[in-house]
Amino acid sequence: MSQLNNIALKILSNGKGILAADESTGTMTKRLDAVNVESTAENRLLFRETLFSSNAMKKFIGGVILYDETIKQNTNSKKTVPELISSAGAVPGIKVDTGAKVLAGSPDEKITEGLDGLRERLKEYYKLGARFTKWRGVYIISDKYPSKLSIDSNAHALARYSSIVQESGMVPIVEPEVLMEGKHTAENCFKKTSEVIKKCFEELINNNVDLTGVILKPNMIIPGNLSKEKISAEEIAKLTLKCLKDSVPKEVPGIAFLSGGQTEIEATENLNLINKFNDTNFIMSFSYGRALQQSAIKFWSKNIKNIEGTQKIFNHRANMCSLATQGKWSKELEEN
Ligand code: 13P
């Protein structure tokens, strides 16, 4: 087994998943503004350190995606943030794209940037302790979007990124996110997501990426947030499984979903059913940002010194997600 495959399995095996704590300073400021906490470097670290030093880290979290600011910060215990994460047995990771910019030639859409100077930045992140990375491509959805241009150019960037990351000894998370915003049906989400994922793997293969050393981070197959269509969690799980079975090469060891605007309970319930019905060899886990942190940040904002109380909320959420990776979650467990 390759070293990269070992890292991917360490992150996702044994009911563990990924905490996506890689909000850029701009996004984190929005999250903190929403709960009336001032967005200073100190407060951003305080919230994150509260999560990273919780018991959940040892049991339920196999990897944490960090942002450039955080990976360079020192914690109160004088450990660096990556040292704190590693000491809990989890793997530190880092977001390496520099954001989604207007796609020239199709200005309603976005292309993710960050390839320039990537090899040099990766050297620094590796030295700081990172062993996996994230790059997110975003796709809008409607009758005419995503365009072929957006599908091709984002897939190409994801593949170039993946090959440079593997060359640097780290596991790339390949995140092609078909956004939930819009009036589209689940069927359209299925069709477009399948097309996007297939193109990504075509490009990864063209770029000689070792598929046993990548983690795919896709969206689930869900109707748009403005769609009138309502489908059950069972249907979401079945469509999502069908899409991934048809589009993801079997060498890929694991798939870790993004939550993408689902509530904490929706993201947990859907993942649980995906695992109940999972008849593939892929590990199906989570790489949630909002669906792991929403209740915790709300609680924390009322008293930012209440570390224990905040950790209790986060432990519960991570525990529920971990149960969902094994198909063992239920609504009753949420209430107890
Ligand atoms: P959400 O789970 O909040 O969608 O965030 C995951 C993520 O990392 C998006 O890039």
Side-chain angles (χ1 to χ4, degrees):
M1 231 188 301
S2 76
Q3 181 61 19
L4 295 175
N5 184 250
N6 282 336
I7 296 171
L9 292 177
K10 176 167 182 198
I11 295 169
L12 296 181
S13 297
N14 304 318
K16 291 185 179 181
I18 300 170
L19 166 61
D22 61 321
E23 299 86 356
S24 64
T25 301
T27 303
M28 195 58 187
T29 299
K30 268 194 235 153
R31 303 270 188 269
L32 291 173
D33 283 351
V35 293
N36 296 314
V37 174
E38 196 190 348
S39 181
T40 59
E42 197 187 357
N43 283 343
R44 291 192 289 274
L45 176 64
L46 182 58
F47 177 65
R48 286 165 164 158
E49 189 176 344
T50 301
L51 306 188
F52 303 162
S53 48
S54 68
N55 288 332
M57 292 294 300
K58 293 197 185 93
K59 296 196 225 158
F60 312 124
I61 303 294
V64 180
I65 318 173
L66 300 168
Y67 182 60
D68 182 74
E69 174 185 78
T70 325
I71 199 169
K72 296 171 180 165
Q73 283 173 317
N74 283 315
T75 65
N76 282 319
S77 66
K78 302 288 175 267
K79 284 181 180 143
T80 64
V81 168
E83 282 165 358
L84 176 63
I85 291 167
S86 301
S87 69
V91 182
I94 179 79
K95 182 223 296 288
V96 300
D97 66 64
T98 54
K101 310 285 161 60
V102 171
L103 174 61
S106 183
D108 290 339
E109 300 184 282
K110 299 265 172 73
I111 176 73
T112 302
E113 295 188 349
L115 289 172
D116 288 351
L118 178 59
R119 186 177 271 128
E120 289 68 37
R121 285 190 292 127
L122 291 174
K123 273 196 196 118
E124 186 190 5
Y125 290 141
Y126 190 95
K127 270 198 206 134
L128 290 168
R131 291 296 177 270
F132 75 105
T133 65
K134 181 187 112 171
W135 178 293
R136 171 175 174 259
V138 286
Y139 307 83
I140 52 170
I141 178 167
S142 69
D143 287 342
K144 63 173 184 171
Y145 293 133
S147 65
K148 185 171 181 310
L149 178 65
S150 146
I151 293 174
D152 291 354
S153 42
N154 276 297
H156 184 69
L158 276 161
R160 291 269 299 117
Y161 139 83
S162 296
S163 61
I164 300 172
V165 166
Q166 288 194 337
E167 179 200 84
S168 310
M170 293 185 268
V171 167
I173 291 189
V174 173
E175 181 179 5
E177 177 175 5
V178 178
L179 294 170
M180 201 203 265
E181 282 74 35
K183 293 182 182 160
H184 53 272
T185 58
E187 192 191 339
N188 203 15
C189 179
F190 176 93
K191 205 171 130 228
K192 302 292 168 73
T193 303
S194 304
E195 209 180 320
V196 161
I197 294 177
K198 280 181 186 156
K199 187 67 194 178
C200 284
F201 282 107
E202 189 186 313
E203 285 291 333
L204 260 69
I205 291 165
N206 284 344
N207 280 268
N208 300 325
V209 172
D210 170 8
L211 297 185
T212 69
V214 306
I215 294 172
L216 176 70
K217 176 163 173 168
N219 49 285
M220 294 179 191
I221 305 300
I222 294 180
N225 62 348
L226 302 175
S227 162
K228 293 204 177 74
E229 185 187 27
K230 292 275 166 281
I231 68 171
S232 66
E234 280 82 6
E235 285 170 287
I236 291 172
K238 287 184 176 156
L239 282 171
T240 302
L241 270 171
K242 182 167 165 32
C243 167
L244 296 170
K245 261 197 321 203
D246 293 350
S247 331
V248 185
K250 60 177 185 334
E251 292 86 351
V252 173
I255 293 175
F257 294 96
L258 57 95
S259 60
Q262 299 180 63
T263 65
E264 291 180 343
I265 304 290
E266 282 164 354
T268 314
E269 181 173 18
N270 292 337
L271 179 64
N272 187 58
L273 288 171
I274 287 170
N275 276 293
K276 268 204 168 149
F277 303 144
N278 186 7
D279 55 353
T280 71
N281 289 324
F282 303 127
I283 299 174
M284 299 281 193
S285 186
F286 56 89
S287 176
Y288 293 161
R290 285 162 286 179
L292 272 173
Q293 301 181 72
Q294 222 156 39
S295 316
I297 203 168
K298 232 190 222 166
F299 181 90
W300 173 78
S301 69
K302 297 200 186 93
N303 174 5
I304 63 170
K305 302 235 163 67
N306 190 348
I307 309 281
E308 242 176 71
T310 306
Q311 289 178 335
K312 215 170 142 196
I313 308 256
F314 178 64
N315 285 345
H316 173 73
R317 200 65 255 136
N319 187 9
M320 293 298 108
C321 288
S322 171
L323 288 170
T325 68
Q326 303 155 69
K328 291 184 182 161
W329 171 87
S330 69
K331 281 210 174 99
E332 291 68 45
L333 289 167
E334 283 291 344
E335 280 136 30
N336 292 328

